[in-house]
Amino acid sequence: MSDDEVDHELLDLLRARFGIGPANPNAPPDTKVLQNAEFICDNSTDVALNMQYTKLAAIAVGEEMQKREYSTKVWSEHELHPKSKDESTVKFIFTMDLLNFSFWSDRSEEDRFSVTYKDKKWTGYFSLVAALQRALDEDIPITSPEFWVDEEKCTDEVLKKAFRSDTDEEMPMFEERVQCLREAGLILEEEFDSSITTLIENAKGSAAGLVNLLAERFPCFRDEATFERKKVRFLKRAQIFVADLWAAFEGEGYGDFNDIDKITMFADYRVPQMLHTLGVIAYCPPLEARMRRQELIEPGHPWELQIRGCSIWAIEQLRREIVKLQPDAKINAILIDFFLYDLAKEKEKTGDEAIPHHRTRSIWY
């Protein structure tokens, strides 16, 4: 080859490395969430990972998950989660994760938004699940996309009844949730014949493909931001929809994905809180002080993006360390996330929280 000739193979490698030029249509789907999290972590100045504590946490978390025989069955066994493995469960999960955001409250446990279902009071995320179950019992077709776009039947008054609270605190961001329902209903009607199963089938068995499809077609799933002049993706609710399908159907039927391990943790409030408790992530003094005072951090603030991005990368490091210790362990970021979330809720009940979770009002989580 002369000096004037172009080395096309090298050029293709450089284009792939720097994301230049058209994407390879034959490449397997990739959400870019993990790569973006690594970028955030590498450029973070206010949130840091501690690998020494990550190794120690891997021992403790791995052993505890093994002891509890933690698996997808834990999701299905919860009394509020649907038990049938059919289209009704698909619709329930989609509705649940469409609205699964911002349940924290500054009020006491007695005064915050809550839902009583079958004589039991529920708060936080489970208040949403309880409200959906209650609405279905009351013959409100709350999980039906056709219902969401029917302005005569699905009025704001009907939705307020479906999501009514036991207290005088209404469901946080109620208007935003209504907007998500109506927007998603129209997109499903126009592009997927109002069928969530058709949406899933369009992903052709790829978890990453379904996440990307949700982010591309549904603005309310497009959980992205700009950090250090680079677009970064978190895609919390899109990813948790895939994870919940996988867990509910135990990796079969509508939950059968050929690349489920591409799903990362779901960057929200509780898992970062637990990672800090374990010493895996640490905050700069001004950020930690803001969190301990339980003061608001605006969506898109560098602090918020660093908390979320570093948490995703931290769970990946934790997963890798657990696999080193237990090479045969059937474990991924989804199961670690589910486990740490449950652990955080246990500590909340017993008052053992080492630090409050960060406060951000957002539809993304």
Side-chain angles (χ1 to χ4, degrees):
M1 179 184 291
S2 71
D3 290 343
D4 295 330
E5 290 179 342
V6 175
D7 186 336
H8 290 285
E9 186 176 347
L10 177 60
L11 190 58
D12 288 342
L13 285 171
L14 288 170
R15 282 173 171 163
R17 172 67 179 82
F18 294 105
I20 302 169
N24 179 1
N26 298 317
D30 192 340
T31 67
K32 306 296 184 189
V33 172
L34 191 61
Q35 296 95 314
N36 292 168
E38 183 180 15
F39 171 80
I40 293 172
C41 195
D42 287 346
N43 292 276
S44 177
T45 56
D46 303 302
V47 183
L49 266 64
N50 185 317
M51 282 309 298
Q52 182 179 355
Y53 277 100
T54 300
K55 292 176 187 293
L56 293 172
I59 297 170
V61 170
E63 288 179 353
E64 189 63 23
M65 290 181 73
Q66 196 172 47
K67 188 172 82 174
R68 298 190 189 193
E69 297 181 344
Y70 208 86
S71 70
T72 55
K73 291 185 183 295
V74 174
W75 192 97
S76 298
E77 286 169 355
H78 193 280
E79 60 189 283
L80 286 178
H81 286 155
K83 303 297 182 285
S84 62
K85 298 187 189 303
D86 54 25
E87 188 175 353
S88 68
T89 291
V90 173
K91 293 167 68 175
F92 189 98
I93 292 172
F94 185 86
T95 310
M96 182 177 76
D97 289 326
L98 186 64
L99 305 178
N100 183 6
F101 55 85
S102 199
F103 290 101
W104 61 268
S105 174
D106 288 323
R107 297 196 185 188
S108 68
E109 193 69 14
E110 293 73 28
D111 296 332
R112 66 183 296 189
F113 172 77
S114 61
V115 171
T116 296
Y117 180 66
K118 293 187 175 178
D119 300 322
K120 192 168 181 179
K121 179 179 176 180
W122 300 94
T123 59
Y125 154 75
F126 286 113
S127 65
L128 169 65
V129 189
L132 294 178
Q133 294 286 18
R134 181 181 64 185
L136 292 173
D137 288 354
E138 294 174 349
D139 295 323
I140 300 173
I142 195 64
T143 61
S144 171
E146 294 93 342
F147 174 67
W148 305 338
V149 296
D150 189 330
E151 294 184 5
E152 291 185 4
K153 294 180 180 177
C154 184
T155 63
D156 285 358
E157 288 69 30
V158 170
L159 292 174
K160 284 179 180 177
K161 177 187 176 184
F163 297 114
R164 66 189 181 275
S165 175
D166 293 340
T167 71
D168 62 2
E169 181 180 44
E170 294 184 352
M171 176 178 273
M173 302 186 81
F174 176 77
E175 291 77 14
E176 288 83 353
R177 295 178 208 275
V178 172
Q179 184 179 346
C180 285
L181 278 176
R182 300 204 190 285
E183 176 187 87
L186 285 172
I187 294 167
L188 286 166
E189 181 181 57
E190 293 169 1
E191 300 190 34
F192 302 100
D193 298 323
S194 294
S195 170
I196 298 161
T197 57
T198 299
L199 166 70
I200 295 168
E201 288 161 2
N202 278 17
K204 299 177 181 178
S206 170
L210 182 51
V211 169
N212 288 340
L213 188 59
L214 287 166
E216 289 163 8
R217 303 295 178 86
F218 297 82
C220 62
F221 278 112
R222 200 171 299 144
D223 179 10
E224 302 172 341
T226 300
F227 180 73
E228 295 292 324
R229 296 180 293 179
K230 177 183 173 69
K231 185 178 84 169
V232 291
R233 311 181 92 198
F234 302 99
L235 305 181
K236 186 264 183 177
R237 290 189 295 107
Q239 289 203 104
I240 206 169
F241 171 60
V242 173
D244 285 346
L245 281 176
W246 176 68
F249 289 88
E250 296 184 55
E252 298 178 353
Y254 293 115
D256 183 9
F257 297 103
N258 55 44
D259 56 353
I260 192 64
D261 290 345
K262 284 187 177 179
I263 301 301
T264 70
M265 70 82 77
F266 319 113
D268 60 2
Y269 314 98
R270 290 298 184 182
V271 176
Q273 181 188 33
M274 202 61 228
L275 287 169
H276 180 274
T277 300
L278 292 168
V280 175
I281 60 174
Y283 304 127
C284 69
L287 171 55
E288 182 165 335
R290 171 77 70 91
M291 292 172 69
R292 291 192 180 281
R293 291 194 300 267
Q294 300 186 34
E295 294 175 356
L296 200 67
I297 300 174
E298 291 299 321
H301 189 285
W303 280 350
E304 186 231 7
L305 302 183
Q306 289 175 69
I307 292 170
R308 299 185 77 198
C310 289
S311 295
I312 294 171
W313 191 241
I315 291 294
E316 174 61 16
Q317 301 312 302
L318 191 59
R319 183 196 66 78
R320 293 178 186 181
E321 292 298 325
I322 292 173
V323 170
K324 285 180 188 177
L325 296 166
Q326 303 173 21
D328 297 329
K330 294 182 179 179
I331 195 164
N332 57 21
I334 298 170
L335 291 174
I336 297 172
D337 181 290
F338 284 175
F339 174 75
L340 292 181
Y341 178 87
D342 289 347
L343 205 58
K345 296 300 286 184
E346 288 174 16
K347 287 187 174 295
E348 181 187 35
K349 284 183 180 178
T350 58
D352 291 335
E353 294 176 298
I355 189 173
H357 64 75
H358 71 282
R359 259 68 173 169
T360 298
R361 281 285 179 218
S362 164
I363 72 164
W364 306 125
Y365 62 102

